[in-house]
Amino acid sequence: RGRGGRRPGPDRSVVGRRTPARFAVVDALDADGLLPAIYFIFSRAGCEGAVQQCLTAGLRLTSPAEEAEIRRVAEERTATIPTEDLEVLGYWTWTESLARGIAAHHAGLLPVFKETVEELFSRGLIKVVFATETLALGINMPARSVALEKLVKWDGTAHVDVTPGEYTQLTGRAGRRGIDVEGHAVVVDHAGLDPVHLAGLASKRLYPLRSSFRPTYNMAVNLVAQVGRDRAREVLETSFAQFQADRGVVGLAKQAQAHAEALDGYAQAMTCDRGDFAEYAALRRRITAREGDLSRAASRSRRAEVVAAFERLRPGDVVEVPSGRRAGYVVVLDPGEGAGFDGPRPTVLTQDRQVKKLTVADAPGGIRTVARVRIPKTFNARVPAQRRDLASTLRNALGALDEPGTRPGRTTRARSGATDDAQLARLRAQLRAHPCHDCPDREDHARWAERWARLKKEHDQLVRRVEGRTGSIARVFDRICDVLVTLGYLAPAEPAQDPAAPLEDALDEEEAPGAPPTGRAAREAARTGLQVTPDGQWLRRLYAENDLLLAECLRRGVWEDLDAPALAAVVSTCVYAGRREDHGEPDVPGGPQGRLARALEATTRVWSEVDDLEDEHDIDATGPLDEGLVTAVHRWAVGRSLDAVLRGSEIAAGDFVRWCKQVIDVLDQVAGAAPTPEVRRTARQAIDRLRRGVVAYSSV
């Protein structure tokens, strides 16, 4: 070490800077009189972790009187939540952090929790809130200062820099009106922080407006019904979105050109003197995709085998659970037949005399029945002596199995299917036979090939964006109308009987919801070539993002035979968009052959047909269905507790409530648009089933 005990080396002010601990930043703000503060962290987990760090560090920012008032408000606001749900929601840790003047605020919190935090902060009782950027708009939470942990955030696909507009929006929360003379914005020092870039963010004050407008199927049928196709095109051609589309292509084209140059560089870097490495890399990607498909199929098969094994259990069976949290030997007390859509949940007695419920999730490797014991007819699991006697019988039965030649052989795990899949074997053979397979620099080339593939995907998406903007909003509207004509929601208009009749004749005619257009609207539609069909009238009432998919499912009767919980579950696939791409295979209530599973499969087929039609007409698809919420919504709709609903899932309570409310909104549309009274009635029942407990208590 050099003078002062420091290691010689590069300037530590530039290299190796570490972000200060969050509790230390809060402590420094408190010492400088800069509380209350909003501390922006662009991560839900980061916000919760920051609260926990402050609690662990013993940070306390409130007086005894403030703490008492905070606890009173929190208890009053959450009084309607059932006691059994409080533990699931993390209520006790939440109230303890509030009592110390510390809170988190993000979309994953239960709405009533967020509202409580907002009230306490606005009253000056909470001193620091760790928040995501969702707090920046629409909420009155006055702060003396604002802290930003970093100037980079995740936008859902990549880490991107905070824009000048976002920086101003976030830091604009600093300074309480009528209290503070000025507000303070603090950017926490961290590795990679560029002071020049920060100064540019703080000084720029001109931000472009962005229009998110795009024509939808619901909009198209309503415009055709009300003003006709030609007049609708004129309106769309003069929209602000069209103006932006014409101006925004230049920047995208430059970015696409930069991508193309980078792709050329990657392609050159992966060049192999033994053959076409791009072809070899494509084979590797196809093998990876096939292995993933086989793995998911094997997972579904293994679970079906485990469920079947559970269904064969009888009282007195001695069962081996080879793996999982219940690994060991148990004796079945009650097979739990018909326990629900999760499969049987047998009641078992373990070797240490504990009575447990065994679930399919507890035995991922399956189960084996290795022996049988007699359970007395008078057996009562609540009597310790009887449990002890039966556990002793279990151990004796297992001891007998240890004699040579008496213990059954161990069951092997189900194969993934990769070992005997002909397509995979053929791909692997092609890979081994490829001339690039024996290249000594193969893995180095492969890394460049992976970079090329990722960038090519981004480049193709960018090119489609350029093409989409180059095509006017009105042309997109035309393509949407073509799809609607193909599906029968719009049709060529019949010639008007009196094309010379003045439009003013029908000014007093009022169109009833769901009825064919009449009067001025009908004549205008006829003059401009299209009119709304009876099926199109149902589509006019569906304004959700997947409006056409909903209309097609209703028209084809895909959801006709579903009960209320199943309808809510299948509708969730048209609404939900998970934060992660891979959710795994959901446990569909009712099993793979049940009504819900068949409805999900039929809904997916309808989506696939709609997606193909959109691709044929060059229309941006709204994205695939996501079944990640199916099980949770079904459980909630059949009356299960919040703990049972969220158990085993990564869905936060606040997210679950928010998605439930969106499902309710779509169900309300279905209740008004479904062609049959049975589906309309089931949709209303589903709304009633979902609107209970924490979903009903939440005001947003």
Side-chain angles (χ1 to χ4, degrees):
R1 295 179 182 272
R3 294 180 60 187
R6 294 184 60 185
R7 293 184 184 274
D11 183 1
R12 293 179 64 85
S13 66
V14 178
V15 180
R17 296 205 311 258
R18 298 180 60 185
T19 304
R22 291 152 177 165
F23 68 84
V25 175
V26 174
D27 202 33
L29 293 174
D30 188 24
D32 290 339
L34 296 180
L35 297 182
I38 300 174
Y39 196 135
F40 284 109
I41 301 174
F42 301 121
S43 160
R44 297 183 183 185
C47 292
E48 294 293 343
V51 171
Q52 192 58 48
Q53 289 173 24
C54 291
L55 293 179
T56 304
L59 200 62
R60 185 176 295 275
L61 304 173
T62 54
S63 66
E66 289 174 327
E67 177 180 344
E69 177 62 10
I70 288 171
R71 292 187 183 277
R72 185 194 67 79
V73 172
E75 291 173 3
E76 183 180 281
R77 297 282 301 217
T78 59
T80 56
I81 299 179
T83 304
E84 61 269 19
D85 290 346
L86 295 180
E87 185 68 32
V88 182
L89 298 170
Y91 173 80
W92 310 111
T93 301
W94 177 69
T95 53
E96 179 59 27
S97 65
L98 293 183
R100 297 191 186 189
I102 305 162
H105 191 288
H106 54 75
L109 285 176
L110 196 68
V112 69
F113 281 19
K114 288 192 291 185
E115 295 163 5
T116 303
V117 170
E118 293 159 14
E119 176 185 344
L120 294 173
F121 192 88
S122 65
R123 293 175 55 184
L125 297 172
I126 297 295
K127 310 302 180 182
V128 62
V129 169
F130 296 98
T132 56
E133 62 178 325
T134 54
L135 181 64
L137 285 176
I139 299 173
N140 179 30
M141 288 181 60
R144 177 171 294 174
S145 62
V146 165
L148 277 69
E149 184 168 71
K150 290 183 179 179
L151 298 178
V152 175
K153 66 172 186 175
W154 177 258
D155 68 351
T157 57
H159 287 92
V160 297
D161 292 333
V162 172
T163 66
E166 290 168 338
Y167 177 84
T168 300
Q169 185 178 339
L170 294 169
T171 58
R173 303 302 300 259
R176 296 166 295 179
R177 184 175 301 174
I179 301 176
D180 300 320
V181 176
E182 61 185 8
H184 298 266
V186 177
V187 177
V188 180
D189 188 25
H190 57 275
L193 176 62
D194 181 0
V196 176
H197 175 64
L198 175 58
L201 286 177
S203 60
K204 190 172 182 180
R205 286 294 178 268
L206 295 176
Y207 320 111
L209 295 174
R210 300 295 180 195
S211 173
S212 59
F213 168 80
R214 66 179 181 88
T216 66
Y217 298 104
N218 171 273
M219 179 191 301
V221 293
N222 277 293
L223 284 174
V224 170
Q226 294 171 15
V227 300
R229 180 172 183 169
D230 287 352
R231 176 55 181 157
R233 292 184 88 262
E234 293 175 8
V235 172
L236 294 173
E237 285 283 15
T238 59
S239 69
F240 179 58
Q242 179 59 52
F243 171 75
Q244 282 191 319
D246 294 339
R247 297 187 62 186
V249 172
V250 176
L252 291 176
K254 289 181 179 179
Q255 190 176 352
Q257 179 62 31
H259 279 185
E261 294 173 359
L263 284 171
D264 290 340
Y266 289 166
Q268 185 176 358
M270 71 175 177
T271 301
C272 180
D273 58 0
R274 302 198 178 194
D276 185 351
F277 201 88
E279 182 182 68
Y280 180 78
L283 276 173
R284 290 174 62 142
R285 290 194 295 273
R286 289 174 63 189
I287 289 173
T288 300
R290 182 60 181 170
E291 288 174 339
D293 291 342
L294 292 173
S295 176
R296 286 188 288 272
S299 177
R300 291 193 294 269
S301 176
R302 284 195 297 269
R303 188 179 188 280
E305 292 175 1
V306 175
V307 171
F310 268 64
E311 291 174 345
R312 291 193 294 269
L313 293 178
R314 294 294 179 265
D317 284 345
V318 176
V319 174
E320 179 188 11
V321 183
S323 62
R325 61 178 181 174
R326 298 277 189 253
Y329 292 91
V330 298
V331 59
V332 178
L333 304 178
D334 181 352
E337 296 176 352
F341 54 76
D342 288 326
R345 295 168 58 90
T347 303
V348 299
L349 179 71
T350 66
Q351 290 174 273
D352 55 0
R353 297 174 290 180
Q354 292 187 347
V355 177
K356 300 287 187 182
K357 285 283 189 181
L358 189 65
T359 67
V360 171
D362 294 332
I367 59 174
R368 284 190 310 155
T369 300
V370 298
R372 283 187 60 81
V373 298
R374 178 180 174 277
I375 300 178
K377 293 183 179 180
T378 58
F379 178 80
N380 187 342
R382 297 184 179 182
V383 180
Q386 295 189 26
R387 291 201 307 270
R388 182 176 62 249
D389 292 343
L390 185 56
S392 177
T393 303
L394 170 62
R395 288 192 294 271
N396 291 336
L398 294 175
L401 293 176
D402 287 330
E403 298 177 4
T406 58
R407 181 178 289 273
R410 299 192 65 85
T411 302
T412 57
R413 289 182 62 88
R415 293 180 296 174
S416 67
T419 57
D420 54 3
D421 181 70
Q423 181 181 347
L424 185 59
R426 185 170 60 253
L427 290 172
R428 287 174 172 170
Q430 293 175 8
L431 188 76
R432 289 191 295 269
H434 198 282
C436 293
H437 189 67
D438 296 325
C439 176
D441 299 322
R442 181 184 68 194
E443 293 308 312
D444 185 46
H445 293 161
R447 284 191 290 273
W448 287 107
E450 289 173 6
R451 295 176 186 176
W452 182 91
R454 287 196 298 268
L455 186 60
K456 183 65 166 62
K457 183 179 179 181
E458 295 178 13
H459 178 67
D460 290 344
Q461 292 174 344
L462 187 62
V463 169
R464 285 195 293 270
R465 288 177 60 194
V466 171
E467 293 173 348
R469 292 195 181 190
T470 304
S472 70
I473 300 296
R475 284 199 293 273
V476 174
F477 172 75
D478 286 340
R479 293 196 288 268
I480 287 176
C481 288
D482 291 342
V483 170
L484 293 173
V485 170
T486 301
L487 293 175
Y489 293 99
L490 294 177
E494 298 177 0
Q497 293 180 352
D498 183 14
L503 296 180
E504 290 77 6
D505 291 349
L507 283 177
D508 57 344
E509 296 182 17
E510 187 171 332
E511 187 179 344
T518 57
R520 177 172 62 176
R523 288 196 295 272
E524 183 68 13
R527 291 172 182 171
T528 52
L530 288 180
Q531 64 182 2
V532 180
T533 66
D535 286 339
Q537 299 302 326
W538 300 114
L539 179 56
R540 293 184 65 185
R541 300 184 184 183
L542 296 168
Y543 47 86
E545 186 174 2
N546 274 324
D547 47 5
L548 184 59
L549 174 63
L550 292 169
E552 280 293 281
C553 288
L554 291 173
R555 185 171 69 165
R556 299 186 191 190
V558 170
W559 302 336
E560 289 287 340
D561 297 330
L562 298 178
D563 58 12
L567 180 61
V570 76
V571 165
S572 75
T573 66
C574 304
V575 174
Y576 181 63
R579 293 169 60 84
R580 297 184 179 181
E581 293 184 0
D582 185 13
H583 306 288
E585 291 293 330
D587 297 333
V588 178
Q593 301 303 321
R595 288 185 179 180
L596 176 55
R598 294 198 301 270
L600 289 172
E601 184 178 353
T603 303
T604 302
R605 284 198 301 270
V606 173
W607 169 83
S608 180
E609 293 176 18
V610 170
D611 184 67
D612 290 343
L613 193 59
E614 289 176 329
D615 185 63
E616 179 184 335
H617 288 80
D618 196 22
I619 296 175
D620 290 337
T622 53
L625 303 179
D626 194 326
E627 297 183 4
L629 201 67
V630 166
T631 303
V633 166
H634 192 278
R635 287 175 176 173
W636 187 252
V638 298
R640 300 286 291 275
S641 68
L642 185 63
D643 178 40
V645 167
L646 300 182
R647 188 189 305 130
S649 74
E650 297 182 357
I651 303 173
D655 286 332
F656 174 71
V657 169
R658 178 164 53 88
W659 287 116
C660 273
K661 288 186 173 294
Q662 293 189 38
V663 172
I664 289 172
D665 180 57
V666 174
L667 286 169
D668 187 54
Q669 298 173 42
V670 170
T676 63
E678 293 79 14
V679 176
R680 293 198 294 270
R681 182 169 56 251
T682 303
R684 287 190 287 270
Q685 292 172 354
I687 292 172
D688 294 337
R689 294 285 193 96
L690 291 180
R691 192 177 283 142
R692 67 177 183 86
V694 292
V695 177
Y697 305 145
S698 305
S699 61
V700 294

